[in-house]
Amino acid sequence: MNVLGIESSCDETSVAVISDDKLTANLISSQDFHSKYGGVVPELSSRAHLQIVIPLLKDALAKSNLELKDIDIICATAGPGLIGALLVGLTFAKGLAYSLNKKFIAVNHIEGHIFSGFLMEEKPEFPFLALVVSGGHTLLLLVKDFMNIKKLGSTVDDAAGEAFDKVSKMLGLGYPGGPKIQQFALRGNEDKINFPVADLRNSFNFSFSGLKTSVLRYIQKNFSGEKIPENDLNDIAASFQKAVVKALIKNAEKALSEFEVKSICLVGGVAANKSLRNAVIILGERFNKKVVIPGMEFCGDNAAMIAFRGQKLFENGITSSLDASPFPGLSDDIFS
Amino acid sequence: MNFPFTKKVFTEDDTINLAGEFVNYISSGDVIVLNGNLGAGKTFFIKHTLKIFGVNNVTSPTFAIVNEYSGKFKVFHFDFYRVNNVSELFDIGINDYFNDDSVVIFIEWGNLIPVILPKKRFEVNITLNDDLSRDFNFIKYE
């Protein structure tokens, strides 16, 4: 079976092909397509997705030695994300499915992330605990099987990745914040400053807004308006990173004590952070659980995870009608 | 609340009370712009304003650019922090969002793209002071 996946929920456009359970292409626009396909396209626009989706599709098919007619099912992200961006990928996929008379499957982007560990050679075992951390989302979920997901907690304000970006901006380190903070943190003392970790009692929810504000306070108090010396930058980055990791691990640990699982999956863009990866690996060792963390190309937004999730839905008898609409947000009662 | 209206707050509860007072002036079709630095408490203020409308899932839209909620009104919650220029806003279809009179629109970091802001709007400017207090300044533009 040949599965086509299309992802356009936010900044990246991505097209992937899974052919007989093997990933044969996973092309992502942020790689070097902007230069390849002519001119500078705005980072944040539906037009950028429009310009890039067809070239990506052609390349993905060529890379897989397939033609459009060989595709059996077509999967696209329906949400959550930016409505204009989602519309491009979703409408394109529906048009393809209609014209080729193939099955169409609308995929939830978060479910794509949740199962992205299955794109690795070492796969998660059910039931597993999934920690989804990205620029837009922070969720802790209990995954019993492909059709059974239960949300334990999510952020009540900022996402973990957003906290990285904003603190990076406060420190003048630039965007994207994750890699910058990680780089400076490597040379810093993570125990130098004790930034608070939000304690939302009796829940698995997260909060990163207070942490962000306390970093700002620290900077204002100690360096009001002045340039922050390099040593201090390193220490602030390291101490902040430690606080984020601690907050994430704390709830994961609580979940492991309460629920019986076989493995732990760390997924989403922030799963690229080495300190967090290490902390999850150590947590897995302590609780004697298998840990699966996708490789870098499957951490950020990608269509491989959309194709994989779509195929699993199809195998469980789920397809979508061609009037499926995009949805911008996760409703409060999803995964309940 | 007589606009322009200024108030100094010291605690989260003060801010929640202030949100509860401000909410009485909002009706469908309104646009509320919030300005203030990182950590000023823009999202926090919106979260507690919308709680009164029965919306309980307010989170930061920085990454998504716009969140949508439904409660007493349908709400679009924008954040221009990550937006580079006005053409990006046109590209995401901002006119379609703005042309809907049945919704309430909140815009964080509206001052970054002032040219797009409608003439008729509320502005909430939040300043974070060194003594941990916050100054809220409400302005109504007709």
Side-chain angles (χ1 to χ4, degrees):
Chain A
M1 184 162 66
N2 296 318
V3 184
L4 179 69
I6 298 173
E7 151 70 29
S8 68
S9 64
C10 204
D11 297 354
E12 326 284 15
T13 322
S14 178
V15 176
V17 175
I18 294 178
S19 180
D20 294 333
D21 298 322
K22 192 173 167 289
L23 180 68
T24 51
N26 182 34
L27 306 181
I28 303 169
S29 60
S30 62
Q31 287 159 349
D32 56 4
F33 291 95
H34 286 198
S35 48
K36 196 169 166 190
Y37 295 111
V40 180
V41 280
E43 244 179 80
L44 176 77
S45 84
S46 312
R47 214 183 310 145
H49 289 297
L50 263 177
Q51 285 169 349
I52 258 166
V53 71
I54 291 175
L56 283 181
L57 171 67
K58 286 182 174 161
D59 275 13
L61 289 171
K63 221 177 151 213
S64 311
N65 287 318
L66 293 172
E67 289 178 46
L68 209 41
K69 65 173 172 51
D70 303 323
I71 295 294
D72 299 300
I73 59 174
I74 297 171
C75 316
T77 305
L82 201 53
I83 201 85
L86 287 166
L87 267 170
V88 174
L90 191 69
T91 310
F92 181 67
K94 289 197 285 190
L96 268 184
Y98 183 66
S99 65
L100 299 168
N101 197 23
K102 305 290 182 184
K103 293 284 184 226
F104 163 72
I105 295 144
V107 175
N108 180 318
H109 180 82
I110 299 298
E111 292 178 16
H113 277 303
I114 289 170
F115 296 106
S116 59
F118 286 89
L119 296 164
M120 304 301 288
E121 206 146 301
E122 268 300 310
K123 301 188 191 317
E125 285 170 46
F126 291 116
F128 65 82
L129 183 71
L131 182 56
V132 182
V133 273
S134 68
H137 303 279
T138 306
L139 296 137
L140 190 65
L141 308 121
L142 195 60
V143 186
K144 291 198 184 113
D145 55 51
F146 282 117
M147 301 310 291
N148 207 325
I149 305 168
K150 190 180 180 333
K151 183 173 86 174
L152 301 177
S154 59
T155 182
V156 300
D157 40 53
D158 299 1
E162 177 182 348
F164 271 97
D165 280 336
K166 289 192 167 165
V167 166
S168 178
K169 172 107 175 186
M170 291 173 197
L171 296 173
L173 305 181
Y175 183 88
K180 293 283 179 193
I181 295 277
Q182 173 168 293
Q183 179 196 334
F184 280 76
L186 271 179
R187 298 188 293 262
N189 173 5
E190 63 174 22
D191 297 317
K192 180 77 181 289
I193 312 148
N194 192 15
F195 290 125
V197 177
D199 188 8
L200 304 171
R201 279 166 217 282
N202 303 320
S203 96
F204 290 101
N205 286 340
F206 303 94
S207 166
F208 294 104
S209 180
L211 172 60
K212 173 186 73 184
T213 309
S214 75
V215 174
L216 180 73
R217 289 282 180 214
Y218 183 85
I219 297 169
Q220 278 179 337
K221 203 173 137 212
N222 295 283
F223 311 99
S224 60
E226 299 159 34
K227 194 173 180 300
I228 307 171
E230 172 113 13
N231 277 345
D232 294 287
L233 280 180
N234 296 341
D235 290 344
I236 296 169
S239 302
F240 160 75
Q241 180 175 269
K242 185 188 175 186
V244 174
V245 170
K246 201 169 147 190
L248 293 169
I249 294 295
K250 197 177 75 171
N251 281 0
E253 185 176 342
K254 203 160 89 179
L256 288 175
S257 319
E258 235 168 88
F259 302 99
E260 193 51 51
V261 297
K262 289 219 171 80
S263 32
I264 310 168
C265 291
L266 172 66
V267 298
V270 181
N273 182 278
K274 289 195 184 98
S275 175
L276 179 59
R277 290 173 93 95
N278 288 340
V280 170
I281 290 167
I282 291 167
L283 185 70
E285 282 168 1
R286 270 182 47 212
F287 281 81
N288 198 21
K289 308 290 179 197
K290 181 177 188 175
V291 171
V292 178
I293 308 173
M296 296 298 175
E297 63 167 319
F298 306 125
C299 284
D301 293 347
N302 68 86
M305 67 184 194
I306 302 303
F308 179 84
R309 177 59 181 154
Q311 182 174 344
K312 287 298 157 201
L313 288 171
F314 179 76
E315 288 169 3
N316 282 279
I318 294 174
T319 57
S320 308
S321 73
L322 290 177
D323 59 4
S325 301
F327 57 95
L330 281 181
S331 64
D332 219 14
D333 55 2
I334 196 162
F335 306 137
S336 58
Chain B
M1 215 179 248
N2 287 315
F3 300 101
F5 178 81
T6 304
K7 179 141 190 171
K8 188 183 271 298
V9 302
F10 295 92
T11 64
E12 286 193 347
D13 281 346
D14 287 350
T15 304
I16 293 168
N17 291 336
L18 192 57
E21 208 178 318
F22 177 64
V23 79
N24 297 317
Y25 299 89
I26 301 174
S27 53
S28 61
D30 282 345
V31 175
I32 303 106
V33 174
L34 288 100
N35 301 317
N37 281 333
L38 285 173
K42 299 179 290 299
T43 307
F44 186 86
F45 184 79
I46 294 171
K47 194 184 184 77
H48 288 281
T49 303
L50 288 179
K51 235 179 203 166
I52 300 158
F53 285 166
V55 179
N56 293 310
N57 57 337
V58 175
T59 54
S60 169
T62 299
F63 188 77
I65 311 296
V66 54
N67 289 348
E68 295 185 28
Y69 317 113
S70 31
K72 184 178 165 194
F73 303 107
K74 190 170 176 187
V75 177
F76 296 137
H77 179 191
F78 281 88
D79 188 334
F80 289 175
Y81 178 79
R82 222 163 63 83
V83 176
N84 296 308
N85 52 56
V86 71
S87 65
E88 291 188 344
L89 290 175
F90 289 132
D91 270 340
I92 65 165
I94 192 144
N95 287 333
D96 295 328
Y97 289 99
F98 277 12
N99 285 339
D100 192 341
D101 284 342
S102 65
V103 303
V104 173
I105 297 179
F106 287 85
I107 306 175
E108 297 193 38
W109 292 97
N111 54 340
L112 293 181
I113 317 278
V115 60
I116 199 77
L117 302 178
K119 268 206 181 99
K120 183 178 175 296
R121 65 182 188 271
F122 287 101
E123 270 196 28
V124 183
N125 299 298
I126 312 173
T127 315
L128 184 58
N129 303 312
D130 286 340
D131 64 354
L132 299 176
S133 69
R134 287 171 165 86
D135 290 321
F136 276 78
N137 171 233
F138 298 83
I139 306 169
K140 188 175 183 182
Y141 293 94
E142 299 280 0

